[in-house]
PDB file of all heavy atoms in Angstrom:
ATOM      1  N   GLN W  24      49.198  76.135 -33.828  1.00 98.00           N
ATOM      2  CA  GLN W  24      49.186  74.829 -34.521  1.00 98.00           C
ATOM      3  C   GLN W  24      47.895  74.615 -35.261  1.00 98.00           C
ATOM      4  O   GLN W  24      47.817  74.011 -36.340  1.00 98.00           O
ATOM      5  CB  GLN W  24      49.465  73.728 -33.522  1.00 98.00           C
ATOM      6  CG  GLN W  24      49.528  72.358 -34.147  1.00 98.00           C
ATOM      7  CD  GLN W  24      49.864  71.298 -33.085  1.00 98.00           C
ATOM      8  OE1 GLN W  24      50.619  71.537 -32.184  1.00 98.00           O
ATOM      9  NE2 GLN W  24      49.268  70.115 -33.253  1.00 98.00           N
ATOM     10  N   LEU W  25      46.765  75.148 -34.669  1.00 97.00           N
ATOM     11  CA  LEU W  25      45.473  75.003 -35.316  1.00 97.00           C
ATOM     12  C   LEU W  25      45.279  75.990 -36.470  1.00 97.00           C
ATOM     13  O   LEU W  25      44.287  75.939 -37.148  1.00 97.00           O
ATOM     14  CB  LEU W  25      44.346  75.226 -34.319  1.00 97.00           C
ATOM     15  CG  LEU W  25      44.205  74.196 -33.196  1.00 97.00           C
ATOM     16  CD1 LEU W  25      42.932  74.482 -32.398  1.00 97.00           C
ATOM     17  CD2 LEU W  25      44.216  72.771 -33.760  1.00 97.00           C
ATOM     18  N   GLY W  26      46.231  76.913 -36.667  1.00 97.00           N
ATOM     19  CA  GLY W  26      46.145  77.868 -37.758  1.00 97.00           C
ATOM     20  C   GLY W  26      45.640  79.221 -37.350  1.00 97.00           C
ATOM     21  O   GLY W  26      45.442  80.069 -38.207  1.00 97.00           O
ATOM     22  N   PRO W  47      41.316  81.508 -38.331  1.00 96.00           N
ATOM     23  CA  PRO W  47      41.336  81.792 -39.767  1.00 96.00           C
ATOM     24  C   PRO W  47      39.989  82.329 -40.259  1.00 96.00           C
ATOM     25  O   PRO W  47      38.955  81.714 -40.002  1.00 96.00           O
ATOM     26  CB  PRO W  47      41.668  80.454 -40.439  1.00 96.00           C
ATOM     27  CG  PRO W  47      42.277  79.640 -39.341  1.00 96.00           C
ATOM     28  CD  PRO W  47      41.656  80.103 -38.075  1.00 96.00           C
ATOM     29  N   ILE W  77      31.763  70.865 -42.216  1.00 97.00           N
ATOM     30  CA  ILE W  77      32.128  70.295 -40.913  1.00 97.00           C
ATOM     31  C   ILE W  77      33.059  69.082 -41.105  1.00 97.00           C
ATOM     32  O   ILE W  77      33.954  68.876 -40.287  1.00 97.00           O
ATOM     33  CB  ILE W  77      30.836  69.880 -40.120  1.00 97.00           C
ATOM     34  CG1 ILE W  77      31.167  69.588 -38.657  1.00 97.00           C
ATOM     35  CG2 ILE W  77      30.106  68.671 -40.740  1.00 97.00           C
ATOM     36  CD1 ILE W  77      31.191  70.857 -37.829  1.00 97.00           C
ATOM     37  N   GLU W  78      32.914  68.332 -42.168  1.00 97.00           N
ATOM     38  CA  GLU W  78      33.740  67.181 -42.382  1.00 97.00           C
ATOM     39  C   GLU W  78      35.213  67.643 -42.763  1.00 97.00           C
ATOM     40  O   GLU W  78      36.179  67.051 -42.217  1.00 97.00           O
ATOM     41  CB  GLU W  78      33.175  66.245 -43.463  1.00 97.00           C
ATOM     42  CG  GLU W  78      31.905  65.570 -42.980  1.00 97.00           C
ATOM     43  CD  GLU W  78      31.162  64.857 -44.115  1.00 97.00           C
ATOM     44  OE1 GLU W  78      31.316  65.181 -45.287  1.00 97.00           O
ATOM     45  OE2 GLU W  78      30.338  63.954 -43.720  1.00 97.00           O
ATOM     46  N   ALA W  79      35.328  68.606 -43.602  1.00 97.00           N
ATOM     47  CA  ALA W  79      36.633  69.135 -43.962  1.00 97.00           C
ATOM     48  C   ALA W  79      37.317  69.798 -42.711  1.00 97.00           C
ATOM     49  O   ALA W  79      38.510  69.641 -42.507  1.00 97.00           O
ATOM     50  CB  ALA W  79      36.520  70.155 -45.097  1.00 97.00           C
ATOM     51  N   ALA W  80      36.489  70.474 -41.911  1.00 97.00           N
ATOM     52  CA  ALA W  80      37.067  71.106 -40.680  1.00 97.00           C
ATOM     53  C   ALA W  80      37.561  70.034 -39.755  1.00 97.00           C
ATOM     54  O   ALA W  80      38.658  70.191 -39.179  1.00 97.00           O
ATOM     55  CB  ALA W  80      35.969  71.914 -39.996  1.00 97.00           C
ATOM     56  N   ARG W  81      36.827  68.931 -39.578  1.00 98.00           N
ATOM     57  CA  ARG W  81      37.310  67.863 -38.701  1.00 98.00           C
ATOM     58  C   ARG W  81      38.639  67.291 -39.194  1.00 98.00           C
ATOM     59  O   ARG W  81      39.577  67.105 -38.410  1.00 98.00           O
ATOM     60  CB  ARG W  81      36.264  66.775 -38.577  1.00 98.00           C
ATOM     61  CG  ARG W  81      36.632  65.709 -37.567  1.00 98.00           C
ATOM     62  CD  ARG W  81      35.499  64.690 -37.323  1.00 98.00           C
ATOM     63  NE  ARG W  81      35.869  63.831 -36.221  1.00 98.00           N
ATOM     64  CZ  ARG W  81      36.690  62.772 -36.330  1.00 98.00           C
ATOM     65  NH1 ARG W  81      37.214  62.423 -37.497  1.00 98.00           N
ATOM     66  NH2 ARG W  81      36.994  62.075 -35.236  1.00 98.00           N
ATOM     67  N   LYS W  82      38.704  67.030 -40.491  1.00 98.00           N
ATOM     68  CA  LYS W  82      39.943  66.469 -41.021  1.00 98.00           C
ATOM     69  C   LYS W  82      41.106  67.430 -40.812  1.00 98.00           C
ATOM     70  O   LYS W  82      42.226  67.009 -40.478  1.00 98.00           O
ATOM     71  CB  LYS W  82      39.783  66.202 -42.559  1.00 98.00           C
ATOM     72  CG  LYS W  82      38.919  64.997 -42.843  1.00 98.00           C
ATOM     73  CD  LYS W  82      38.757  64.789 -44.340  1.00 98.00           C
ATOM     74  CE  LYS W  82      37.750  63.703 -44.628  1.00 98.00           C
ATOM     75  NZ  LYS W  82      37.393  63.611 -46.052  1.00 98.00           N
ATOM     76  N   GLU W  83      40.886  68.719 -41.032  1.00 97.00           N
ATOM     77  CA  GLU W  83      41.991  69.682 -40.835  1.00 97.00           C
ATOM     78  C   GLU W  83      42.419  69.784 -39.401  1.00 97.00           C
ATOM     79  O   GLU W  83      43.599  69.854 -39.106  1.00 97.00           O
ATOM     80  CB  GLU W  83      41.581  71.024 -41.389  1.00 97.00           C
ATOM     81  CG  GLU W  83      42.744  72.030 -41.287  1.00 97.00           C
ATOM     82  CD  GLU W  83      42.528  73.334 -41.994  1.00 97.00           C
ATOM     83  OE1 GLU W  83      41.675  73.384 -42.907  1.00 97.00           O
ATOM     84  OE2 GLU W  83      43.199  74.311 -41.622  1.00 97.00           O
ATOM     85  N   LEU W  84      41.438  69.856 -38.509  1.00 97.00           N
ATOM     86  CA  LEU W  84      41.781  69.922 -37.085  1.00 97.00           C
ATOM     87  C   LEU W  84      42.582  68.690 -36.630  1.00 97.00           C
ATOM     88  O   LEU W  84      43.534  68.789 -35.871  1.00 97.00           O
ATOM     89  CB  LEU W  84      40.555  70.110 -36.234  1.00 97.00           C
ATOM     90  CG  LEU W  84      39.882  71.479 -36.313  1.00 97.00           C
ATOM     91  CD1 LEU W  84      38.490  71.429 -35.711  1.00 97.00           C
ATOM     92  CD2 LEU W  84      40.756  72.516 -35.603  1.00 97.00           C
ATOM     93  N   LEU W  85      42.160  67.525 -37.088  1.00 98.00           N
ATOM     94  CA  LEU W  85      42.901  66.299 -36.741  1.00 98.00           C
ATOM     95  C   LEU W  85      44.302  66.339 -37.341  1.00 98.00           C
ATOM     96  O   LEU W  85      45.263  65.981 -36.655  1.00 98.00           O
ATOM     97  CB  LEU W  85      42.145  65.067 -37.283  1.00 98.00           C
ATOM     98  CG  LEU W  85      40.899  64.640 -36.521  1.00 98.00           C
ATOM     99  CD1 LEU W  85      40.094  63.607 -37.312  1.00 98.00           C
ATOM    100  CD2 LEU W  85      41.258  64.121 -35.107  1.00 98.00           C
ATOM    101  N   ALA W  86      44.450  66.808 -38.603  1.00 97.00           N
ATOM    102  CA  ALA W  86      45.728  66.904 -39.213  1.00 97.00           C
ATOM    103  C   ALA W  86      46.639  67.881 -38.501  1.00 97.00           C
ATOM    104  O   ALA W  86      47.882  67.732 -38.486  1.00 97.00           O
ATOM    105  CB  ALA W  86      45.603  67.302 -40.679  1.00 97.00           C
ATOM    106  N   ARG W  87      46.067  68.835 -37.825  1.00 97.00           N
ATOM    107  CA  ARG W  87      46.824  69.879 -37.086  1.00 97.00           C
ATOM    108  C   ARG W  87      47.115  69.461 -35.628  1.00 97.00           C
ATOM    109  O   ARG W  87      47.633  70.204 -34.858  1.00 97.00           O
ATOM    110  CB  ARG W  87      46.153  71.180 -37.149  1.00 97.00           C
ATOM    111  CG  ARG W  87      46.182  71.839 -38.541  1.00 97.00           C
ATOM    112  CD  ARG W  87      45.469  73.142 -38.552  1.00 97.00           C
ATOM    113  NE  ARG W  87      45.620  73.879 -39.798  1.00 97.00           N
ATOM    114  CZ  ARG W  87      46.604  74.731 -40.068  1.00 97.00           C
ATOM    115  NH1 ARG W  87      47.561  74.956 -39.161  1.00 97.00           N
ATOM    116  NH2 ARG W  87      46.671  75.349 -41.222  1.00 97.00           N
ATOM    117  N   GLY W  88      46.640  68.220 -35.279  1.00 95.00           N
ATOM    118  CA  GLY W  88      47.009  67.653 -33.983  1.00 95.00           C
ATOM    119  C   GLY W  88      45.965  67.811 -32.859  1.00 95.00           C
ATOM    120  O   GLY W  88      46.222  67.450 -31.728  1.00 95.00           O
ATOM    121  N   ALA W  89      44.790  68.359 -33.197  1.00 96.00           N
ATOM    122  CA  ALA W  89      43.773  68.485 -32.185  1.00 96.00           C
ATOM    123  C   ALA W  89      43.041  67.184 -31.930  1.00 96.00           C
ATOM    124  O   ALA W  89      42.902  66.362 -32.796  1.00 96.00           O
ATOM    125  CB  ALA W  89      42.724  69.537 -32.634  1.00 96.00           C
ATOM    126  N   VAL W  91      39.717  65.792 -31.596  1.00 97.00           N
ATOM    127  CA  VAL W  91      38.420  66.276 -32.051  1.00 97.00           C
ATOM    128  C   VAL W  91      37.390  65.158 -31.908  1.00 97.00           C
ATOM    129  O   VAL W  91      37.664  64.011 -32.177  1.00 97.00           O
ATOM    130  CB  VAL W  91      38.492  66.746 -33.529  1.00 97.00           C
ATOM    131  CG1 VAL W  91      37.176  67.284 -34.017  1.00 97.00           C
ATOM    132  CG2 VAL W  91      39.628  67.732 -33.694  1.00 97.00           C
TER     133      VAL W  91
END
Side-chain angles (χ1 to χ4, degrees):
Q24 182 177 325
L25 293 188
I77 196 85
E78 292 170 336
R81 184 173 189 280
K82 286 178 188 173
E83 183 170 339
L84 287 166
L85 286 168
R87 290 179 172 271
V91 182

